[in-house]
Amino acid sequence: MPSALSTLRETILRHASEAHTQTTLPGLSLFRTECQTQPVDCIYKPRLCIIVQGSKQVVVGDRIFTYDAEKYLIATVDLPVTGCVTQATPESPYLSLSLDLDPADIASLLLSTGATPPETHTAPGLAVSTLTEDLLCPMARLTTLLDTPDDIPVLAPLIKKEVAYRLLQGEQGALLRQIALADSYLSQISRAIAWIRDHYARAFDIDTVAKIAGMSTPSFYRHFRAVTMMSPLQYRTRIRLQEARKRLLTDGEDAAEAGFAVGYESPSQFSRDYRRLFGSPPARDAARLRATTAPELSGIPADL
């Protein structure tokens, strides 16, 4: 009988025809690439990510996370990250999948199990842990529902609940619980993150966002940095620059237009920040990206 990992590998090979395949199973995405990729900037939403072949590196702030088929990655808040596939060949392509995490589903599961211990500390909103058979098996059963789509409406919610239960029982269970608790530090920081993402082009002070989170300014700053691995202003800058890069590539705006559109008042400051993050000035970077035909630069596999 094939192992859960080999079952996942075969299922992804059958159903992932592109770099990023959004499946008919709600919240489940498949990824496939036959070569290493250049670093790509994107936003990770709350999700579980599992690699079944190959490896990947994800950078958040000044932290580097590396994982492969022996580990899983979990994100619990919206985080701007830089990711790249580090191991993939045509003979042994990189294969992975992600499953969105729904706070309401996790809250319902916590209520049914009574597993709501008090919060003790604030942890980073992204973590990598050892992948176990207890988690692999339900993920394999969930993914193979793609072969029997008529079963998805009935069986997928049940298996997703089992996946969430296994995560809650695993190394990152305490972190996952904080997604569902309305008064947890993670939920408070998530409210602030949502506001910053909606208003990234506006000037704001830390006191304003701390009030949105329902925290004192010193406490908010400390917990925000612990969760996102960057300061609130650094977080806003990352969001601004990612949006500006998208505008340069897809809307054809020049550097000055893109900078003003995302909230910069000084073109020189925009250029300095852009170069610091992406390695070259806006116009040069955009020209390089337009000139390449590499699939990893098209924006499709940003969540690989």
Side-chain angles (χ1 to χ4, degrees), residues 154-167:
V154 175
L155 297 182
L158 300 176
I159 303 175
K160 284 183 179 180
K161 189 172 184 179
E162 182 181 352
V163 170
Y165 176 77
R166 294 303 179 189
L167 287 171

Side-chain angles (χ1 to χ4, degrees), residues 74-94:
I74 185 171
T76 55
V77 295
D78 292 1
L79 286 174
V81 308
T82 302
C84 62
V85 173
T86 56
Q87 184 179 348
T89 64
E91 297 75 25
S92 183
Y94 169 90

Side-chain angles (χ1 to χ4, degrees), residues 57-280:
Q57 184 179 90
V58 176
V59 179
V60 186
D62 58 359
R63 295 278 300 277
I64 299 175
F65 298 85
T66 301
Y67 69 116
D68 53 22
E70 295 182 354
K71 301 180 177 69
Y72 69 87
L73 180 145
I74 185 171
T76 55
V77 295
D78 292 1
L79 286 174
V81 308
T82 302
C84 62
V85 173
T86 56
Q87 184 179 348
T89 64
E91 297 75 25
S92 183
Y94 169 90
L95 304 171
S96 70
L97 69 161
S98 72
L99 180 66
D100 294 344
L101 299 175
D102 187 337
D105 290 344
I106 297 168
S108 176
L109 184 59
L110 289 174
L111 287 173
S112 66
T113 62
T116 55
E119 184 172 10
T120 56
H121 68 283
T122 305
L126 189 146
V128 171
S129 290
T130 301
L131 187 58
T132 64
E133 285 294 315
D134 285 346
L135 181 57
L136 270 173
C137 288
M139 283 302 298
R141 284 188 277 110
L142 181 68
T143 308
T144 53
L145 289 179
L146 296 174
D147 296 326
T148 56
D150 289 345
D151 294 338
I152 290 176
V154 175
L155 297 182
L158 300 176
I159 303 175
K160 284 183 179 180
K161 189 172 184 179
E162 182 181 352
V163 170
Y165 176 77
R166 294 303 179 189
L167 287 171
L168 287 167
Q169 298 299 310
E171 294 178 349
Q172 300 303 326
L175 176 61
L176 189 63
R177 290 182 184 95
Q178 302 311 310
I179 294 181
L181 302 180
D183 59 348
S184 70
Y185 289 135
L186 189 61
S187 293
Q188 291 174 289
I189 295 302
S190 293
R191 289 200 297 270
I193 284 174
W195 189 91
I196 293 173
R197 289 199 64 190
D198 288 341
H199 302 87
Y200 64 83
R202 288 174 46 179
F204 68 83
D205 56 58
I206 302 301
D207 292 343
T208 298
V209 190
K211 289 178 181 178
I212 292 169
M215 306 170 76
S216 69
T217 299
S219 178
F220 167 72
Y221 189 89
R222 183 173 69 255
H223 289 296
F224 189 98
R225 194 171 188 94
V227 169
T228 66
M229 290 158 277
M230 61 192 84
S231 73
L233 292 180
Q234 287 173 327
Y235 184 98
R236 184 189 65 178
T237 296
R238 289 294 297 266
I239 298 297
R240 283 181 169 183
L241 293 174
Q242 288 188 12
E243 178 62 24
R245 198 184 206 195
K246 186 187 303 181
R247 287 171 174 271
L248 288 168
L249 290 174
T250 61
D251 298 340
E253 296 181 358
D254 62 30
E257 289 175 324
F260 285 128
V262 300
Y264 278 89
E265 297 179 357
S266 166
S268 60
Q269 183 63 51
F270 169 63
S271 183
R272 284 195 296 271
D273 287 352
Y274 192 102
R275 183 169 188 166
R276 188 178 300 117
L277 179 60
F278 298 122
S280 58

